Amino acid sequence: MTIFAIITVTYFITYLVPQDPARVIAGSHASAQTIAEIRRALGLDKPLWQRYLIFVGQFLHGNLGYDFIQQRPVGQMVLQAAPYTAYLAVVAVFFELLFAIPVGIIAAVKRNSFIDGLLRTLTIIGISMPTYWVGSLMLLIFGFYLKWFPLGGVSPLGVVLPAVSVGITGSAYYARILRSSMLEVMRLDYIRTAHAKGLPNWRVLFAHTVRTALIPVVTYFGLDLGALLGGLIITETIFAWTGLGLLLNQAISSLDDSLIIGITLFSATAIVVMNLIVDILYAFLDPRVNYS
Amino acid sequence: MALSVPHEQQPEAYLERMRTPGQMFVRRFVRNRLAVFGLVLVVIMVAAAVFAPHLAPMNPYIGYSDGTTAQGLPLPPTWNWHHFFLGTDANGRDVMSQLLYGTQVSMEVGVMATLISIVIGTFIGLVSGYLGGFWDNILMRLTDLMLAFPVFLFIILVRSLMTNPTVATVYLAIGVLSWAPTARLARGQALAARKLDYVEAARSVGTGVPRTLWRHLLPNIISPVLVYSTLSIASNIVLESALSFLGVGVPDPTISWGKMINLGLSWYQTDPLLIIWPGIAIALATLGFNLVGDGLNDAFNVRSDS
């Protein structure tokens, strides 16, 4: 349903553009007859609703159209770049959680203390810094001055800086959500019961509190996917990581509309599918959720 | 005379009771040092945006002929306010003046985009929550759809297909595509508020739906919406700079911090300061709005965290 809406909206956005693809392909000196022939070859002479149905049909077959600027099918380029973005995304989420979970737990356990205040201030600063700026600084400090990591490109070490940049800025939200959900869970009766039956504090914390408190974090993960992708797109540009972001950046600078549309459609669909997976995962984590 | 007690000796609780809710709110906000710091940042940023033409020491649009070294490289900071205070960029333009002009776009896009999304979102949320039933179903379906939309990508798409983009294009695109969280928030609040006695009373004396929404429900739900708006301005400032960084933000020659970072990135090996200054500017502006939003939230919710 959502995917269908995304296709529809994307199609009509592109339809609103006054540019005629046939004219672009034919060049500015082409005769009216050549343009008409190209229009027919591309199916542009058919009425709007027919073209729309063809567009949807093509998409369902996995065909994202042909890129006349790069002379390659859009789908091929997108599929080539997507695994790199997925790889970076997984590492970035790993760093997000690596930063966020300890911060969230410590802030909740030591609530209203100096440490809590400090962590809270740090997370607000983390939220306030643009991902691409953090990325640029990382590149400058750890790549250029310290030479610990490569300045860009795809390599096992090269994934660290872009993933950490996305991780630092993304983790701030997770830490805050985890903190407030921890505080809520810590007030519940079953936590008091666990303490009362003599379990050690660390066991109550990790086996009972953190596990329950992570549920809103999973929910947020689903909502955050769009923002995560945004962060990845822009970070890839800085680190020359050959994923969808870099491809999109090239498409923007060469005014390659069909490629921009293809990447948007593909990523939007990917996000919707991921959201669905998160929803299913959520049902496993929280027995109260029932989709029947 | 025996009855007059010096102010400092009056009990705290007694003082609290003497104040109106508004005064208590201001007092709670002012006590929060971080929130006040944020407010100061916001005021500075807004002032910089309004008075940029008067404050800027040089013309930010002009590449000065003495603005680059003999090899065509950017100049380092001179610390002379009237002559390339923070140095120049690769085109020989004064960085300090560009930073000041950059606040204009950031504030304009941040505030306008938020305003648009808040107005749409609050309207949809209020109507949905108050009317319930059929309309609630339809409007919330739409909201869920919008929530699942990767807004960032669609703004890039819309913006890159535009033939004559303006600054307004950018904030309209952001505003129209990002109202969904506000609608969710407003609906939740409206659902809770419509059961309240005074709303029931308003309805029973024959107040129409538009008037009930505007005069009775809206004031009651406005505080969480206000908190969200403030935080949303911060994220829209970052969004604008990110779009401009990618080259799909505000059109040339408008100056934007994101563009400055993009340009500076080509020179980071020789002039790293070119990416550091605009980044600090973005971080301070967003930090200001985030701190104010956080402070407002704490001041509205007396019980939170204490």
Side-chain angles (χ1 to χ4, degrees):
Chain A
M1 173 61 199
T2 315
I3 295 175
F4 184 71
I6 288 172
I7 300 171
T8 311
V9 171
T10 312
Y11 184 77
F12 287 101
I13 288 174
T14 56
Y15 181 74
L16 291 174
V17 182
Q19 207 179 51
D20 186 346
R23 189 169 286 280
V24 175
I25 296 158
S28 46
H29 301 295
S31 68
Q33 202 199 340
T34 325
I35 291 174
E37 269 168 23
I38 294 173
R39 286 181 73 89
R40 206 171 309 121
L42 291 173
L44 289 175
D45 53 340
K46 296 196 179 79
L48 177 64
W49 66 271
Q50 270 188 23
R51 276 157 56 196
Y52 169 68
L53 287 182
I54 293 170
F55 183 78
V56 174
Q58 294 278 329
F59 178 78
L60 293 179
H61 284 100
N63 187 348
L64 290 171
Y66 191 79
D67 184 348
F68 291 100
I69 294 178
Q70 299 240 9
Q71 305 284 337
R72 285 174 67 192
V74 172
Q76 194 190 336
M77 286 190 281
V78 169
L79 283 182
Q80 213 169 44
Y84 291 101
T85 300
Y87 173 35
L88 183 58
V90 171
V91 185
V93 169
F94 169 76
F95 278 115
E96 266 179 1
L97 297 178
L98 188 74
F99 300 137
I101 292 181
V103 170
I105 294 175
I106 293 169
V109 172
K110 307 254 175 209
R111 67 184 167 284
N112 296 335
S113 69
F114 171 74
I115 294 176
D116 183 23
L118 185 73
L119 289 177
R120 187 175 169 171
T121 314
L122 282 180
T123 51
I124 295 184
I125 293 175
I127 291 170
S128 303
M129 291 191 299
T131 313
Y132 64 94
W133 187 53
V134 176
S136 311
L137 291 185
M138 291 263 174
L139 181 72
L140 189 67
I141 297 168
F142 298 106
F144 182 65
Y145 286 130
L146 296 175
K147 297 188 176 29
W148 290 352
F149 297 98
L151 290 176
V154 178
S155 62
L157 258 184
V159 75
V160 176
L161 289 184
V164 169
S165 323
V166 176
I168 285 181
T169 42
S171 63
Y173 284 103
Y174 285 98
R176 305 193 86 188
I177 288 168
L178 182 60
R179 175 183 180 273
S180 57
S181 103
M182 285 277 294
L183 287 180
E184 232 156 76
V185 174
M186 276 153 71
R187 273 204 292 265
L188 296 178
D189 285 342
Y190 82 93
I191 298 296
R192 199 182 321 142
T193 313
H195 278 296
K197 74 179 183 187
L199 286 180
N201 278 338
W202 63 268
R203 242 201 106 171
V204 178
L205 187 64
F206 289 102
H208 297 275
T209 318
V210 174
R211 250 183 61 181
T212 317
L214 278 176
I215 292 172
V217 175
V218 176
T219 318
Y220 182 72
F221 178 73
L223 291 173
D224 187 51
L225 280 170
L228 175 69
L229 186 75
L232 291 174
I233 285 175
I234 206 156
T235 317
E236 281 180 2
T237 314
I238 296 168
F239 290 95
W241 185 265
T242 55
L244 290 171
L246 198 63
L247 193 64
L248 182 67
N249 196 41
Q250 288 160 359
I252 291 170
S253 43
S254 59
L255 302 174
D256 191 344
D257 291 345
S258 54
L259 189 53
I260 298 177
I261 295 164
I263 294 169
T264 309
L265 274 182
F266 179 83
S267 325
T269 314
I271 286 180
V272 172
V273 172
M274 283 292 292
N275 252 318
L276 203 68
I277 296 172
V278 171
D279 270 359
I280 296 168
L281 201 73
Y282 191 48
F284 276 110
L285 266 178
D286 190 347
R288 287 170 304 180
V289 178
N290 191 349
Y291 286 114
S292 62
Chain B
M1 286 303 281
L3 277 175
S4 75
V5 181
H7 271 283
E8 309 85 74
Q9 287 175 21
Q10 286 183 345
E12 197 71 20
Y14 181 66
L15 273 177
E16 278 286 279
R17 236 178 293 134
M18 293 285 286
R19 293 192 163 86
T20 64
Q23 285 170 330
M24 272 151 61
F25 170 77
V26 170
R27 193 181 155 84
R28 278 196 301 269
F29 186 85
V30 171
R31 271 192 187 164
N32 185 342
R33 266 174 298 165
L34 277 177
V36 173
F37 175 64
L39 192 63
V40 171
L41 282 179
V42 169
V43 169
I44 290 174
M45 286 294 163
V46 172
V50 174
F51 299 112
H54 305 287
L55 290 173
M58 303 178 87
N59 187 333
Y61 299 103
I62 293 180
Y64 290 90
S65 52
D66 58 342
T68 49
T69 62
Q71 292 81 35
L73 290 170
L75 290 180
T78 59
W79 307 116
N80 172 1
W81 181 256
H82 293 286
H83 194 77
F84 309 131
F85 183 65
L86 294 178
T88 58
D89 70 2
N91 299 328
R93 293 177 298 193
D94 181 40
V95 169
M96 188 65 220
S97 305
Q98 288 192 67
L99 283 180
L100 283 166
Y101 272 82
T103 38
Q104 291 186 325
V105 161
S106 283
M107 294 302 130
E108 186 183 354
V109 173
V111 171
M112 288 306 292
T114 300
L115 208 64
I116 294 168
S117 73
I118 293 296
V119 168
I120 302 176
T122 311
F123 178 75
I124 291 184
L126 269 182
V127 171
S128 182
Y130 183 71
L131 294 182
F134 173 72
W135 287 108
D136 186 28
N137 234 323
I138 297 274
L139 289 174
M140 278 305 113
R141 276 283 159 79
L142 190 68
T143 306
D144 284 343
L145 206 75
M146 289 301 293
L147 271 180
F149 256 59
V151 176
F152 188 64
L153 277 170
F154 272 84
I155 295 170
I156 292 178
L157 182 69
V158 172
R159 171 58 183 77
S160 56
L161 294 175
M162 285 278 184
T163 36
N164 289 313
T166 61
V167 177
T169 317
V170 178
Y171 64 67
L172 274 170
I174 299 176
V176 169
L177 287 169
S178 58
W179 51 263
T182 322
R184 270 272 183 91
L185 183 73
R187 175 181 174 267
Q189 296 287 321
L191 271 181
R194 75 171 177 158
K195 296 268 162 50
L196 296 177
D197 287 340
Y198 80 96
V199 178
E200 192 74 52
R203 198 167 20 196
S204 66
V205 296
T207 314
V209 172
R211 197 182 155 84
T212 313
L213 289 180
W214 179 253
R215 289 295 296 271
H216 301 289
L217 271 181
L218 188 64
N220 203 43
I221 71 156
I222 204 71
S223 40
V225 172
L226 204 64
V227 171
Y228 182 79
S229 320
T230 319
L231 300 175
S232 161
I233 293 178
S235 57
N236 285 337
I237 289 174
V238 174
L239 188 58
E240 182 278 319
S241 77
L243 289 168
S244 294
F245 175 83
L246 282 176
V248 283
V250 293
D252 286 328
T254 313
I255 292 164
S256 154
W257 292 331
K259 275 189 211 167
M260 293 175 70
I261 296 185
N262 185 19
L263 201 68
L265 208 52
S266 331
W267 300 89
Y268 77 92
Q269 304 199 341
T270 48
D271 297 270
L273 286 172
L274 286 181
I275 55 176
I276 291 177
W277 298 126
I280 291 175
I282 299 170
L284 286 181
T286 39
L287 185 66
F289 282 103
N290 276 329
L291 287 175
V292 170
D294 232 44
L296 284 177
N297 190 31
D298 288 350
F300 280 130
N301 301 312
V302 188
R303 277 162 298 147
S304 85
D305 282 23
S306 55

